[in-house]
Each structure stands twice: as C-alpha cells, then as structure tokens.
Amino acid sequence: MFSNIGTRGTVAANLWQVLLLTNSTAQVGLVGLAEAVALLLLAPLGGAIADRVDRRTLLQVTQSTSLVASLGLTVATFTGTAAPWHIYLAVIAVSAAQTFEGPARQAMIPAMVSRERIVDAIALTNPTRELAVLLGPPLAGLLIGTVGPGYVYAFDAITYAALIVALAFIHVPRVSGVEREESIWASILEGLRYVRERRLIWQLMTLDFSATFFSAYRVVLPTLARDVLGVGATGYGLLSATPAAGAILGSAVVFRLRGFRHKGWLILGATMGYAVAAVVLALVPVFAVALIA
C-alpha cells in the first residue's frame, strides 16, 4: 500500500505537470496514450513471463525499473529541465514494468496462502490498493501546491526502494506453472483461445474497454480543476482521489451482493451509472458535484 500511494501520487503529478508545461489538454492526453502503448504491446507477455521466472525476483526488477523512472523525473524537475517527453518516457517505463509486476504479484497470493484463504487474501489486498488510490492523489496535490511535483516523484522513489528491500525478506514457495518446454508465444495463444471460447469473458472485456475508451475522464481532471472549477492543485488531488472512495464503497456493496443471481444486470446497471456520472462531471461546473460524480 505504501508503494501504491507513491505510484498513484506520481500518476496524478504526471498529468498536472504536463498541463503546466504545455497548457494543452491534448498533450495531457498523450500521457494516457504512452501508458496504453506500453500496456497493449507488453501485457500479453506479463503472465507468460510470470509463469517462467521467480516471481519475487521479477517484482524486484520491475520495482527497480520504476525506481529509476521516478528518480529521473525527480532530477529533471528539481533542475528545471523537465520536458513533456521526459514524463512520457517515464510513463512508458513504469507502465511496461507494471505489465509484468501485476501478474507476478497476483500469482504470489496463491503461493503464499492456503486454498481456503485465497478469497480472504484477495479481499484484503484489493481494498488496500483502493486506499492507496484514495491517499496518493491528495498527497500529490498537497505537495504540488506547496513545494512542487519534484517532491512527489522523490517520495515515489523512496516507496519503490522500501518495497525492493521488503521483498528480500519474503519467502515465496515455487508454484507449478506452464511447462518450460512450451514457448511464450504458445502460452499467449492458449490464453487468447481460452478467452475467445468463453463468450462471457470477452463480452465483459469489450464492455469495460468501451466504457474506458469513450469516457477516460482522468486525463481531463487537471484542466477541469484548474480552468473550469478553479480549485488548483489541491482540488485536483481530491478529484483524482474520489474515484477510489467510490471503489471502496462499491467493493462493500459487491461483497454484500455475492448471492445476487442476476449479476449481468448488475454489471450493465453499474456501467450505465458510470456513463451518467461522466456526463454530470463534464456538464456541471460545481466542485462538490464534480466530486460526487
């Protein structure tokens, strides 16, 4: 959670700093494009690689990559030489690292707990991630508004270093995965076939992609906070954090609805609610309403 606080703070700082450097919402959007390029190109490799190497070592390598990216932004910002391309490059590096870090971290859970406790472990880790998203952006907004974005990146670098050290003390038993004789590309194709043959999975993926692609509100939050709502960096931090508050509340609701039979209708209703909230965010120039949306 400590590392995620730094990561989410840096994500918020990246968008705000690009807006300050360029005064262009379109160039802020390129931050999201840089992230998407890394994810789309490398995501299929993440799970396949995590099946073949020591997952703790892989996590240490990915965290080290993110550490270097944060240190680079720290130095560039403190020396006054930061340019948008520095941020794009750092986002690509961190996003690339996360495509390998995510599967490795998730695969560690069944290796460290018994089958009976897996659901408990996942239920424990998911809220901590959302709590980090809730705390990271306000912290970033506070630091940006008082001492500048360089301190956000420095804090992020410290959290990565702490996690790398912590991983050295964690024992992860080996888990049987993909046979090493099978090629990585064969593993990826097997995963694609698995999804293609299960209609519900690719329908849910398509639904999620559509909602995210057509309503990627995160990249317009800096402009919204500065130019429309007039709340500055601190208000921007709060705007970036409130989705996590909604996610925590939503997780509590979902936990209570585990026995609800018509989950498809629940998903469609939630997606429509997301669309309505996005429209309200776009059209109502009131900070309190924007937070709720």
Side-chain angles (χ1 to χ4, degrees):
M1 187 177 71
F2 181 59
S3 178
N4 272 331
I5 288 173
T7 301
R8 303 314 303 182
T10 290
V11 169
N14 289 155
L15 299 173
W16 184 263
Q17 190 176 20
V18 170
L19 181 65
L20 292 181
L21 291 172
T22 66
N23 203 35
S24 167
T25 305
Q27 293 196 51
V28 175
L30 292 180
V31 175
L33 179 61
E35 181 180 4
V37 167
L39 290 174
L40 289 174
L41 292 179
L42 297 176
L45 292 173
I49 296 295
D51 278 334
R52 286 169 165 75
V53 302
D54 180 74
R55 288 155 185 170
R56 184 181 65 171
T57 302
L58 180 58
L59 280 175
Q60 288 178 312
V61 171
T62 58
Q63 299 305 301
S64 298
T65 301
S66 300
L67 170 63
V68 171
S70 292
L71 284 177
L73 286 181
T74 302
V75 173
T77 302
F78 281 146
T79 57
T81 59
W85 70 267
H86 292 134
I87 298 172
Y88 302 147
L89 187 63
V91 168
I92 290 174
V94 172
S95 299
Q98 287 177 344
T99 61
F100 297 97
E101 181 258 349
R105 186 185 67 249
Q106 292 166 4
M108 283 176 66
I109 294 178
M112 297 175 68
V113 301
S114 65
R115 181 184 296 270
E116 295 75 22
R117 304 305 300 273
I118 288 178
V119 174
D120 294 334
I122 294 174
L124 181 65
T125 56
N126 283 348
T128 61
R129 185 171 60 249
E130 297 300 341
L131 189 59
V133 180
L134 185 65
L135 297 175
L139 176 63
L142 182 63
L143 290 175
I144 292 171
T146 54
V147 291
Y151 287 89
V152 180
Y153 303 140
F155 174 78
D156 192 25
I158 292 171
T159 67
Y160 283 128
L163 184 57
I164 292 168
V165 173
L167 284 167
F169 294 94
I170 295 177
H171 173 65
V172 183
R174 284 196 68 86
V175 177
S176 58
V178 177
E179 293 295 329
R180 291 181 179 271
E181 290 77 11
E182 184 183 44
S183 71
I184 290 178
W185 299 113
S187 297
I188 293 172
L189 289 175
E190 180 185 354
L192 292 174
R193 283 194 297 268
Y194 181 89
V195 171
R196 186 188 63 190
E197 293 168 1
R198 286 157 178 81
R199 188 174 65 174
L200 179 61
I201 295 178
W202 60 257
Q203 285 178 340
L204 289 174
M205 292 175 63
T206 304
L207 182 67
D208 183 60
F209 172 81
S210 300
T212 305
F213 183 82
F214 290 106
S215 184
Y217 63 88
R218 189 183 66 178
V219 296
V220 301
L221 290 183
T223 303
L224 194 67
R226 189 190 69 173
D227 300 337
V228 179
L229 301 173
V231 293
T234 304
Y236 164 66
L238 290 175
L239 276 176
S240 299
T242 45
I248 293 172
L249 292 173
S251 297
V253 173
V254 167
F255 185 78
R256 292 182 176 275
L257 292 176
R258 284 180 297 173
F260 185 73
R261 292 182 58 189
H262 304 289
K263 292 183 174 64
W265 288 109
L266 193 64
I267 291 171
L268 290 174
T271 305
M272 290 302 299
Y274 177 87
V276 172
V279 172
V280 172
L281 178 66
L283 296 181
V284 183
V286 179
F287 184 54
V289 175
L291 288 175
I292 294 171

